[in-house]
Amino acid sequence: MEVNIADLTWDQFIYPRGGKSEKTVNAYVEALAIGAQFPPIKIQRVFNYAEGDQTTDLPAGRHGATIILDGIHRWFAFKESGIKKIPVVEWKDKPLDYEKNKVVLLLEGAECNISHGDRLSPGDKKRIAREIATSDPECKWTESALAEKLGVIQQTVNTWISDIRARQKAGRNTVILRLNRLGWTQEKISETVGINQQRISQITNNTNFSEIGNLLSQGHDMDYIARHYHMDLALVWALRLEGKTDQEKFKELGWGLRTWDQWYFNECDERFGDDWPGRIPAQLVAHTLFFFTKPGDIVLDPMAGGGVVSDVCMLFERKCQSFDIATRDNRPEIQYHHWDSQDNDWPITRKADLIFFDPPYYIKKEKAYREKATEETPSISSYSKESYEKFIESFLILAHKNTKETTRMVFLNADWRDFESTPASKENPDNSITIFDYHRVLSKTGWKLTHRIECPLSSERLSGHQVQKMQDKRILGTVGRTLLIAKRS
Ligand SMILES: C[S@@+](CC[C@H](N)C(=O)[O-])C[C@H]1O[C@@H](n2cnc3c(N)ncnc32)[C@H](O)[C@@H]1O
C-alpha cells in the first residue's frame, strides 16, 4: 500500500531525534538517485494522540496520526528526494489507542531496528528500557522480556533499570507499609495499590528494618535513613519507635509531655504532616492520643488536610481512617469524601474510638480551602454562618449515630469574631461564632463535654506592623484555639 509522505508522523518517543543519523539519510538519498528500491516503511495508525511528539505534518488538534515504527531514515531520504507517495506496511490493521499502547509501540519499533538498518545503539536500547521501566510501575515488563525484545542479555537490562525498579518497589512498599500500619485490610490495600493480597502480606510480614538501628549507631540521621529506604520521614520514625511505650516515644521524639490542660506549642513539628493551610502541631495530636486512646485504637480524621493525624497515629501505633475533599498522591491514606449536611453518608464501617474533628474555623482561610475544593463539593469554609453552624450540628448528630458508647469526640476550633477591621468595642456579637456556641451544639447533639484544653496559636505570627495597626485602632485579635473533648452522653 502507498501513502502520502506528509501524512506520516515522526514520533520522538518511538524514535528520538538524537538517534537519527544524517550519514544514513545521505547514503539513502544517493541510493534512491540511482534507482535503489527500499522495503516499505512500517507504520501504525493511532488515536488518542493529541499532544505527541509529532512533526508539523499533523494538523494541530488532530487526535489521530499515522506514526512510523520502522524506517525513519528511509522516510527522510524519500522526503529529501522529493518523493510524495511511498510504500508502507501496517503493523496492526486497526488504529490503536496511542496512550494505552505507547510501550508496545516503542518495543515493536525497537525490535524492527534490531534486525536491520541503522541498528539501535546500546545507548538507544538503554533509553528504551528505562522509558519502559519508568512507565511501568507495576513491573509487568520483566527484565527477561525486555532483554528478548531488545536483543540483549537479561543481565544488561538488569544493570540498565535496577535503580528504577528498586525505587518503584520501595515507593510501593512504602504505601503498603503505611496503609498496613494505619489498619487498612489487605483487601483494601490490594485494591488501592493494584497488587495481589499474597504479595501484600509478604511485604508487610517480611520487610526487615533492623538496619535502622545500625544506621543510627553509625551516625546517620533520620533524613538519611528515610532517603536510604526511599520512605517518608514519618514512616521511618514509626518503624524506629515500634514497640516502645507512648512515654518512650514522646521522649525519643523530643517532645515534652504536658500533664495539664494548656497545650501550647510554638510551632508545628516539620517532620509530621504536610505544609497545609490550618496545619496543627503533631504534638497536639500526640497529647490527645496519649490521654484518650491506647495502642490499636481506631481514630477517625474526617477533615484530614495535611495528614498530621495519620502520621501521629502511625507513630503511636493507633489505626486511622482519614478523609478530605482534597486528596493527593503522597497521602494514599486520605480518601476522598465530601461531608454534606444534606446526606447521611458515613463512609466508615468500623466504629471509631476517637474522632479528631478539625474543620475549617468558619471562614478563616476560606480562600486557601476554596482552591482545594470544587464548586459542586465546596469546603464548609465558604458557607454562610447559618449553613456552617447547621453543618457542624448535622455532622455531630451523624457521628453520634455511627459511633459506640465509648467513642470520644475531639473537636478543635477557635472563636471567630469580625475583628479584622473593627475596634473591639464595635464588634457585633451576631457576626461571631465562639467556643461557647460549639459547646452548646455538642451538648444538644448528645455529646457531653469532659475536657476543655487551650491550644493557643503563637502570637509571633503577627508582625510588628500588624500589631501597631491593631493598637492604633484598638482592635483585639484572637490567637486562642480550643480543643473540646466530649463523650457520648
Ligand atoms: C483545618 S483543615 C484540617 C487541617 C489538618 N488537621 C492539618 O493539620 O493539616 C480542614 C480541612 O477540611 C477540609 N474540608 C472542608 N470542607 C470539607 C467537606 N465538606 N468535606 C470534606 N473535607 C472538607 C478542607 O479541605 C481542609 O483540608
PDB file of all heavy atoms in Angstrom, residues 274 276-280 302-308 324-326 337-339 358-361 369 372 378-380 391, ligand 1:
ATOM      1  N   ASP A 274       1.848  17.447  56.268  1.00  0.00           N
ATOM      2  CA  ASP A 274       2.350  18.282  55.172  1.00  0.00           C
ATOM      3  C   ASP A 274       2.075  19.748  55.488  1.00  0.00           C
ATOM      4  O   ASP A 274       1.208  20.067  56.296  1.00  0.00           O
ATOM      5  CB  ASP A 274       1.604  17.941  53.861  1.00  0.00           C
ATOM      6  CG  ASP A 274       1.800  16.496  53.461  1.00  0.00           C
ATOM      7  OD1 ASP A 274       2.773  15.883  53.929  1.00  0.00           O
ATOM      8  OD2 ASP A 274       0.967  15.984  52.686  1.00  0.00           O
ATOM      9  N   TRP A 276       0.249  22.718  55.168  1.00  0.00           N
ATOM     10  CA  TRP A 276      -1.157  22.769  54.770  1.00  0.00           C
ATOM     11  C   TRP A 276      -1.841  23.961  55.445  1.00  0.00           C
ATOM     12  O   TRP A 276      -1.516  24.249  56.601  1.00  0.00           O
ATOM     13  CB  TRP A 276      -1.851  21.465  55.246  1.00  0.00           C
ATOM     14  CG  TRP A 276      -3.188  21.237  54.626  1.00  0.00           C
ATOM     15  CD1 TRP A 276      -4.405  21.512  55.192  1.00  0.00           C
ATOM     16  CD2 TRP A 276      -3.456  20.707  53.335  1.00  0.00           C
ATOM     17  NE1 TRP A 276      -5.411  21.172  54.324  1.00  0.00           N
ATOM     18  CE2 TRP A 276      -4.857  20.677  53.178  1.00  0.00           C
ATOM     19  CE3 TRP A 276      -2.651  20.253  52.285  1.00  0.00           C
ATOM     20  CZ2 TRP A 276      -5.469  20.219  52.014  1.00  0.00           C
ATOM     21  CZ3 TRP A 276      -3.261  19.793  51.133  1.00  0.00           C
ATOM     22  CH2 TRP A 276      -4.646  19.774  51.009  1.00  0.00           C
ATOM     23  N   PRO A 277      -2.755  24.647  54.762  1.00  0.00           N
ATOM     24  CA  PRO A 277      -3.430  25.748  55.458  1.00  0.00           C
ATOM     25  C   PRO A 277      -4.172  25.222  56.701  1.00  0.00           C
ATOM     26  O   PRO A 277      -4.961  24.287  56.582  1.00  0.00           O
ATOM     27  CB  PRO A 277      -4.414  26.298  54.422  1.00  0.00           C
ATOM     28  CG  PRO A 277      -4.374  25.359  53.250  1.00  0.00           C
ATOM     29  CD  PRO A 277      -3.170  24.509  53.361  1.00  0.00           C
ATOM     30  N   GLY A 278      -3.844  25.790  57.853  1.00  0.00           N
ATOM     31  CA  GLY A 278      -4.510  25.354  59.085  1.00  0.00           C
ATOM     32  C   GLY A 278      -3.883  24.111  59.690  1.00  0.00           C
ATOM     33  O   GLY A 278      -4.494  23.462  60.542  1.00  0.00           O
ATOM     34  N   ARG A 279      -2.657  23.798  59.264  1.00  0.00           N
ATOM     35  CA  ARG A 279      -1.962  22.627  59.821  1.00  0.00           C
ATOM     36  C   ARG A 279      -1.828  22.764  61.339  1.00  0.00           C
ATOM     37  O   ARG A 279      -1.559  23.845  61.857  1.00  0.00           O
ATOM     38  CB  ARG A 279      -0.574  22.583  59.193  1.00  0.00           C
ATOM     39  CG  ARG A 279       0.338  21.547  59.740  1.00  0.00           C
ATOM     40  CD  ARG A 279       1.727  21.855  59.220  1.00  0.00           C
ATOM     41  NE  ARG A 279       2.621  20.751  59.386  1.00  0.00           N
ATOM     42  CZ  ARG A 279       3.835  20.706  58.864  1.00  0.00           C
ATOM     43  NH1 ARG A 279       4.279  21.708  58.142  1.00  0.00           N
ATOM     44  NH2 ARG A 279       4.604  19.674  59.058  1.00  0.00           N
ATOM     45  N   ILE A 280      -1.989  21.650  62.053  1.00  0.00           N
ATOM     46  CA  ILE A 280      -1.861  21.709  63.512  1.00  0.00           C
ATOM     47  C   ILE A 280      -0.588  20.972  63.939  1.00  0.00           C
ATOM     48  O   ILE A 280      -0.097  20.101  63.225  1.00  0.00           O
ATOM     49  CB  ILE A 280      -3.105  21.110  64.221  1.00  0.00           C
ATOM     50  CG1 ILE A 280      -3.366  19.682  63.738  1.00  0.00           C
ATOM     51  CG2 ILE A 280      -4.320  21.997  64.016  1.00  0.00           C
ATOM     52  CD1 ILE A 280      -4.457  18.983  64.506  1.00  0.00           C
ATOM     53  N   PRO A 302     -11.980  13.095  59.967  1.00  0.00           N
ATOM     54  CA  PRO A 302     -12.877  13.346  58.830  1.00  0.00           C
ATOM     55  C   PRO A 302     -12.438  14.478  57.902  1.00  0.00           C
ATOM     56  O   PRO A 302     -12.817  14.503  56.738  1.00  0.00           O
ATOM     57  CB  PRO A 302     -14.219  13.694  59.503  1.00  0.00           C
ATOM     58  CG  PRO A 302     -13.866  14.115  60.881  1.00  0.00           C
ATOM     59  CD  PRO A 302     -12.589  13.432  61.251  1.00  0.00           C
ATOM     60  N   MET A 303     -11.645  15.418  58.402  1.00  0.00           N
ATOM     61  CA  MET A 303     -11.175  16.534  57.564  1.00  0.00           C
ATOM     62  C   MET A 303      -9.662  16.618  57.733  1.00  0.00           C
ATOM     63  O   MET A 303      -9.145  17.439  58.489  1.00  0.00           O
ATOM     64  CB  MET A 303     -11.874  17.819  57.961  1.00  0.00           C
ATOM     65  CG  MET A 303     -13.372  17.763  57.693  1.00  0.00           C
ATOM     66  SD  MET A 303     -14.107  19.379  57.721  1.00  0.00           S
ATOM     67  CE  MET A 303     -15.781  18.994  57.217  1.00  0.00           C
ATOM     68  N   ALA A 304      -8.972  15.741  57.008  1.00  0.00           N
ATOM     69  CA  ALA A 304      -7.579  15.420  57.342  1.00  0.00           C
ATOM     70  C   ALA A 304      -6.543  16.440  56.890  1.00  0.00           C
ATOM     71  O   ALA A 304      -5.431  16.463  57.406  1.00  0.00           O
ATOM     72  CB  ALA A 304      -7.237  14.054  56.761  1.00  0.00           C
ATOM     73  N   GLY A 305      -6.860  17.262  55.903  1.00  0.00           N
ATOM     74  CA  GLY A 305      -5.915  18.296  55.448  1.00  0.00           C
ATOM     75  C   GLY A 305      -4.545  17.742  55.151  1.00  0.00           C
ATOM     76  O   GLY A 305      -4.366  16.875  54.298  1.00  0.00           O
ATOM     77  N   GLY A 306      -3.519  18.211  55.890  1.00  0.00           N
ATOM     78  CA  GLY A 306      -2.135  17.825  55.626  1.00  0.00           C
ATOM     79  C   GLY A 306      -1.729  16.474  56.189  1.00  0.00           C
ATOM     80  O   GLY A 306      -0.571  16.084  56.083  1.00  0.00           O
ATOM     81  N   GLY A 307      -2.646  15.752  56.827  1.00  0.00           N
ATOM     82  CA  GLY A 307      -2.369  14.377  57.241  1.00  0.00           C
ATOM     83  C   GLY A 307      -1.559  14.225  58.521  1.00  0.00           C
ATOM     84  O   GLY A 307      -0.985  13.164  58.764  1.00  0.00           O
ATOM     85  N   VAL A 308      -1.555  15.246  59.375  1.00  0.00           N
ATOM     86  CA  VAL A 308      -0.745  15.110  60.587  1.00  0.00           C
ATOM     87  C   VAL A 308      -1.334  14.066  61.543  1.00  0.00           C
ATOM     88  O   VAL A 308      -0.599  13.342  62.222  1.00  0.00           O
ATOM     89  CB  VAL A 308      -0.550  16.498  61.272  1.00  0.00           C
ATOM     90  CG1 VAL A 308      -1.835  17.041  61.828  1.00  0.00           C
ATOM     91  CG2 VAL A 308       0.508  16.424  62.340  1.00  0.00           C
ATOM     92  N   ASP A 324     -10.964  13.686  53.224  1.00  0.00           N
ATOM     93  CA  ASP A 324     -10.941  15.130  52.930  1.00  0.00           C
ATOM     94  C   ASP A 324     -11.454  15.289  51.488  1.00  0.00           C
ATOM     95  O   ASP A 324     -11.499  14.312  50.733  1.00  0.00           O
ATOM     96  CB  ASP A 324      -9.520  15.705  53.026  1.00  0.00           C
ATOM     97  CG  ASP A 324      -9.513  17.212  53.304  1.00  0.00           C
ATOM     98  OD1 ASP A 324      -9.920  17.987  52.414  1.00  0.00           O
ATOM     99  OD2 ASP A 324      -9.113  17.617  54.408  1.00  0.00           O
ATOM    100  N   ILE A 325     -11.834  16.523  51.137  1.00  0.00           N
ATOM    101  CA  ILE A 325     -12.152  16.758  49.725  1.00  0.00           C
ATOM    102  C   ILE A 325     -10.867  16.918  48.919  1.00  0.00           C
ATOM    103  O   ILE A 325     -10.869  16.780  47.715  1.00  0.00           O
ATOM    104  CB  ILE A 325     -13.050  18.006  49.501  1.00  0.00           C
ATOM    105  CG1 ILE A 325     -12.659  19.124  50.461  1.00  0.00           C
ATOM    106  CG2 ILE A 325     -14.513  17.662  49.577  1.00  0.00           C
ATOM    107  CD1 ILE A 325     -13.371  20.412  50.224  1.00  0.00           C
ATOM    108  N   ALA A 326      -9.777  17.221  49.615  1.00  0.00           N
ATOM    109  CA  ALA A 326      -8.501  17.385  48.903  1.00  0.00           C
ATOM    110  C   ALA A 326      -7.678  16.122  49.111  1.00  0.00           C
ATOM    111  O   ALA A 326      -7.252  15.832  50.221  1.00  0.00           O
ATOM    112  CB  ALA A 326      -7.758  18.602  49.459  1.00  0.00           C
ATOM    113  N   HIS A 337     -13.768  12.233  50.488  1.00  0.00           N
ATOM    114  CA  HIS A 337     -15.158  12.246  50.948  1.00  0.00           C
ATOM    115  C   HIS A 337     -15.588  13.691  51.131  1.00  0.00           C
ATOM    116  O   HIS A 337     -14.867  14.485  51.727  1.00  0.00           O
ATOM    117  CB  HIS A 337     -15.326  11.486  52.266  1.00  0.00           C
ATOM    118  CG  HIS A 337     -16.771  11.348  52.648  1.00  0.00           C
ATOM    119  ND1 HIS A 337     -17.619  10.444  52.034  1.00  0.00           N
ATOM    120  CD2 HIS A 337     -17.536  12.031  53.534  1.00  0.00           C
ATOM    121  CE1 HIS A 337     -18.833  10.568  52.536  1.00  0.00           C
ATOM    122  NE2 HIS A 337     -18.820  11.530  53.446  1.00  0.00           N
ATOM    123  N   HIS A 338     -16.766  14.001  50.592  1.00  0.00           N
ATOM    124  CA  HIS A 338     -17.313  15.340  50.797  1.00  0.00           C
ATOM    125  C   HIS A 338     -18.441  15.227  51.811  1.00  0.00           C
ATOM    126  O   HIS A 338     -19.496  14.663  51.525  1.00  0.00           O
ATOM    127  CB  HIS A 338     -17.835  15.909  49.463  1.00  0.00           C
ATOM    128  CG  HIS A 338     -18.434  17.274  49.626  1.00  0.00           C
ATOM    129  ND1 HIS A 338     -19.753  17.547  49.384  1.00  0.00           N
ATOM    130  CD2 HIS A 338     -17.875  18.441  50.045  1.00  0.00           C
ATOM    131  CE1 HIS A 338     -19.982  18.829  49.634  1.00  0.00           C
ATOM    132  NE2 HIS A 338     -18.858  19.389  50.022  1.00  0.00           N
ATOM    133  N   TRP A 339     -18.204  15.746  53.015  1.00  0.00           N
ATOM    134  CA  TRP A 339     -19.253  15.733  54.037  1.00  0.00           C
ATOM    135  C   TRP A 339     -20.264  16.815  53.694  1.00  0.00           C
ATOM    136  O   TRP A 339     -19.884  17.932  53.346  1.00  0.00           O
ATOM    137  CB  TRP A 339     -18.664  16.006  55.423  1.00  0.00           C
ATOM    138  CG  TRP A 339     -17.626  15.026  55.851  1.00  0.00           C
ATOM    139  CD1 TRP A 339     -16.276  15.186  55.749  1.00  0.00           C
ATOM    140  CD2 TRP A 339     -17.834  13.732  56.429  1.00  0.00           C
ATOM    141  NE1 TRP A 339     -15.628  14.069  56.242  1.00  0.00           N
ATOM    142  CE2 TRP A 339     -16.564  13.164  56.669  1.00  0.00           C
ATOM    143  CE3 TRP A 339     -18.966  12.990  56.789  1.00  0.00           C
ATOM    144  CZ2 TRP A 339     -16.390  11.911  57.236  1.00  0.00           C
ATOM    145  CZ3 TRP A 339     -18.791  11.741  57.362  1.00  0.00           C
ATOM    146  CH2 TRP A 339     -17.518  11.212  57.575  1.00  0.00           C
ATOM    147  N   ASP A 358     -11.287  18.375  63.021  1.00  0.00           N
ATOM    148  CA  ASP A 358     -10.603  19.676  62.897  1.00  0.00           C
ATOM    149  C   ASP A 358     -11.108  20.371  61.631  1.00  0.00           C
ATOM    150  O   ASP A 358     -10.412  20.399  60.609  1.00  0.00           O
ATOM    151  CB  ASP A 358      -9.079  19.439  62.835  1.00  0.00           C
ATOM    152  CG  ASP A 358      -8.300  20.743  62.671  1.00  0.00           C
ATOM    153  OD1 ASP A 358      -8.808  21.799  63.088  1.00  0.00           O
ATOM    154  OD2 ASP A 358      -7.176  20.707  62.119  1.00  0.00           O
ATOM    155  N   PRO A 359     -12.337  20.920  61.686  1.00  0.00           N
ATOM    156  CA  PRO A 359     -12.881  21.565  60.483  1.00  0.00           C
ATOM    157  C   PRO A 359     -12.266  22.945  60.281  1.00  0.00           C
ATOM    158  O   PRO A 359     -11.608  23.466  61.183  1.00  0.00           O
ATOM    159  CB  PRO A 359     -14.369  21.702  60.831  1.00  0.00           C
ATOM    160  CG  PRO A 359     -14.388  21.855  62.311  1.00  0.00           C
ATOM    161  CD  PRO A 359     -13.224  21.056  62.846  1.00  0.00           C
ATOM    162  N   PRO A 360     -12.477  23.557  59.101  1.00  0.00           N
ATOM    163  CA  PRO A 360     -12.062  24.965  58.958  1.00  0.00           C
ATOM    164  C   PRO A 360     -12.776  25.790  60.022  1.00  0.00           C
ATOM    165  O   PRO A 360     -13.921  25.512  60.364  1.00  0.00           O
ATOM    166  CB  PRO A 360     -12.580  25.333  57.556  1.00  0.00           C
ATOM    167  CG  PRO A 360     -12.767  24.042  56.847  1.00  0.00           C
ATOM    168  CD  PRO A 360     -13.124  23.037  57.885  1.00  0.00           C
ATOM    169  N   TYR A 361     -12.056  26.784  60.571  1.00  0.00           N
ATOM    170  CA  TYR A 361     -12.647  27.615  61.622  1.00  0.00           C
ATOM    171  C   TYR A 361     -13.502  28.689  60.947  1.00  0.00           C
ATOM    172  O   TYR A 361     -13.018  29.790  60.679  1.00  0.00           O
ATOM    173  CB  TYR A 361     -11.572  28.228  62.520  1.00  0.00           C
ATOM    174  CG  TYR A 361     -10.583  27.172  63.029  1.00  0.00           C
ATOM    175  CD1 TYR A 361      -9.290  27.504  63.395  1.00  0.00           C
ATOM    176  CD2 TYR A 361     -10.974  25.830  63.127  1.00  0.00           C
ATOM    177  CE1 TYR A 361      -8.405  26.529  63.836  1.00  0.00           C
ATOM    178  CE2 TYR A 361     -10.094  24.860  63.568  1.00  0.00           C
ATOM    179  CZ  TYR A 361      -8.817  25.210  63.899  1.00  0.00           C
ATOM    180  OH  TYR A 361      -7.945  24.235  64.325  1.00  0.00           O
ATOM    181  N   TYR A 369      -8.792  27.121  51.270  1.00  0.00           N
ATOM    182  CA  TYR A 369      -9.569  25.874  51.175  1.00  0.00           C
ATOM    183  C   TYR A 369     -10.390  25.843  49.888  1.00  0.00           C
ATOM    184  O   TYR A 369     -10.614  24.784  49.312  1.00  0.00           O
ATOM    185  CB  TYR A 369     -10.484  25.686  52.394  1.00  0.00           C
ATOM    186  CG  TYR A 369      -9.729  25.509  53.694  1.00  0.00           C
ATOM    187  CD1 TYR A 369     -10.116  26.178  54.857  1.00  0.00           C
ATOM    188  CD2 TYR A 369      -8.613  24.674  53.769  1.00  0.00           C
ATOM    189  CE1 TYR A 369      -9.420  26.026  56.045  1.00  0.00           C
ATOM    190  CE2 TYR A 369      -7.912  24.518  54.953  1.00  0.00           C
ATOM    191  CZ  TYR A 369      -8.315  25.198  56.077  1.00  0.00           C
ATOM    192  OH  TYR A 369      -7.612  25.040  57.246  1.00  0.00           O
ATOM    193  N   LYS A 372      -8.762  24.238  47.030  1.00  0.00           N
ATOM    194  CA  LYS A 372      -8.638  22.777  47.067  1.00  0.00           C
ATOM    195  C   LYS A 372      -9.983  22.095  46.838  1.00  0.00           C
ATOM    196  O   LYS A 372     -10.074  20.872  46.784  1.00  0.00           O
ATOM    197  CB  LYS A 372      -8.055  22.334  48.398  1.00  0.00           C
ATOM    198  CG  LYS A 372      -6.747  23.039  48.692  1.00  0.00           C
ATOM    199  CD  LYS A 372      -5.916  22.360  49.722  1.00  0.00           C
ATOM    200  CE  LYS A 372      -4.630  23.098  49.981  1.00  0.00           C
ATOM    201  NZ  LYS A 372      -3.636  22.964  48.920  1.00  0.00           N
ATOM    202  N   PRO A 378     -18.096  22.023  47.762  1.00  0.00           N
ATOM    203  CA  PRO A 378     -17.357  23.135  48.382  1.00  0.00           C
ATOM    204  C   PRO A 378     -16.848  22.803  49.775  1.00  0.00           C
ATOM    205  O   PRO A 378     -17.370  21.910  50.447  1.00  0.00           O
ATOM    206  CB  PRO A 378     -18.417  24.240  48.452  1.00  0.00           C
ATOM    207  CG  PRO A 378     -19.709  23.522  48.496  1.00  0.00           C
ATOM    208  CD  PRO A 378     -19.538  22.248  47.738  1.00  0.00           C
ATOM    209  N   SER A 379     -15.839  23.547  50.173  1.00  0.00           N
ATOM    210  CA  SER A 379     -15.368  23.463  51.559  1.00  0.00           C
ATOM    211  C   SER A 379     -16.398  24.171  52.432  1.00  0.00           C
ATOM    212  O   SER A 379     -17.001  25.166  52.004  1.00  0.00           O
ATOM    213  CB  SER A 379     -14.020  24.169  51.669  1.00  0.00           C
ATOM    214  OG  SER A 379     -13.745  24.452  53.020  1.00  0.00           O
ATOM    215  N   ILE A 380     -16.557  23.709  53.652  1.00  0.00           N
ATOM    216  CA  ILE A 380     -17.549  24.354  54.528  1.00  0.00           C
ATOM    217  C   ILE A 380     -17.110  25.773  54.900  1.00  0.00           C
ATOM    218  O   ILE A 380     -17.916  26.546  55.410  1.00  0.00           O
ATOM    219  CB  ILE A 380     -17.821  23.515  55.792  1.00  0.00           C
ATOM    220  CG1 ILE A 380     -16.537  23.280  56.584  1.00  0.00           C
ATOM    221  CG2 ILE A 380     -18.485  22.187  55.448  1.00  0.00           C
ATOM    222  CD1 ILE A 380     -16.803  22.766  57.989  1.00  0.00           C
ATOM    223  N   PHE A 391     -24.100  22.772  59.476  1.00  0.00           N
ATOM    224  CA  PHE A 391     -23.223  21.656  59.084  1.00  0.00           C
ATOM    225  C   PHE A 391     -22.611  21.009  60.325  1.00  0.00           C
ATOM    226  O   PHE A 391     -22.630  19.788  60.472  1.00  0.00           O
ATOM    227  CB  PHE A 391     -22.102  22.139  58.148  1.00  0.00           C
ATOM    228  CG  PHE A 391     -21.108  21.049  57.877  1.00  0.00           C
ATOM    229  CD1 PHE A 391     -21.313  20.153  56.840  1.00  0.00           C
ATOM    230  CD2 PHE A 391     -20.007  20.866  58.715  1.00  0.00           C
ATOM    231  CE1 PHE A 391     -20.427  19.091  56.627  1.00  0.00           C
ATOM    232  CE2 PHE A 391     -19.121  19.814  58.511  1.00  0.00           C
ATOM    233  CZ  PHE A 391     -19.329  18.929  57.461  1.00  0.00           C
TER     234      PHE A 391
HETATM  235  C1  LIG B   1      -8.443  22.893  59.363  1.00  0.00           C
HETATM  236  S1  LIG B   1      -8.155  21.911  57.922  1.00  0.00           S
HETATM  237  C2  LIG B   1      -7.510  20.430  58.603  1.00  0.00           C
HETATM  238  C3  LIG B   1      -6.068  20.598  58.945  1.00  0.00           C
HETATM  239  C4  LIG B   1      -5.392  19.324  59.394  1.00  0.00           C
HETATM  240  N1  LIG B   1      -5.841  18.893  60.693  1.00  0.00           N
HETATM  241  C5  LIG B   1      -3.886  19.530  59.376  1.00  0.00           C
HETATM  242  O1  LIG B   1      -3.270  19.644  60.446  1.00  0.00           O
HETATM  243  O2  LIG B   1      -3.305  19.611  58.273  1.00  0.00           O
HETATM  244  C6  LIG B   1      -9.775  21.494  57.419  1.00  0.00           C
HETATM  245  C7  LIG B   1      -9.885  20.592  56.194  1.00  0.00           C
HETATM  246  O3  LIG B   1     -11.280  20.380  55.949  1.00  0.00           O
HETATM  247  C8  LIG B   1     -11.452  20.104  54.565  1.00  0.00           C
HETATM  248  N2  LIG B   1     -12.897  20.279  54.250  1.00  0.00           N
HETATM  249  C9  LIG B   1     -13.616  21.409  54.248  1.00  0.00           C
HETATM  250  N3  LIG B   1     -14.904  21.155  53.932  1.00  0.00           N
HETATM  251  C10 LIG B   1     -14.998  19.816  53.740  1.00  0.00           C
HETATM  252  C11 LIG B   1     -16.081  18.929  53.412  1.00  0.00           C
HETATM  253  N4  LIG B   1     -17.313  19.382  53.223  1.00  0.00           N
HETATM  254  N5  LIG B   1     -15.813  17.599  53.300  1.00  0.00           N
HETATM  255  C12 LIG B   1     -14.548  17.124  53.490  1.00  0.00           C
HETATM  256  N6  LIG B   1     -13.497  17.909  53.811  1.00  0.00           N
HETATM  257  C13 LIG B   1     -13.709  19.236  53.941  1.00  0.00           C
HETATM  258  C14 LIG B   1     -10.530  21.110  53.899  1.00  0.00           C
HETATM  259  O4  LIG B   1     -10.171  20.680  52.611  1.00  0.00           O
HETATM  260  C15 LIG B   1      -9.343  21.149  54.886  1.00  0.00           C
HETATM  261  O5  LIG B   1      -8.280  20.344  54.439  1.00  0.00           O
END
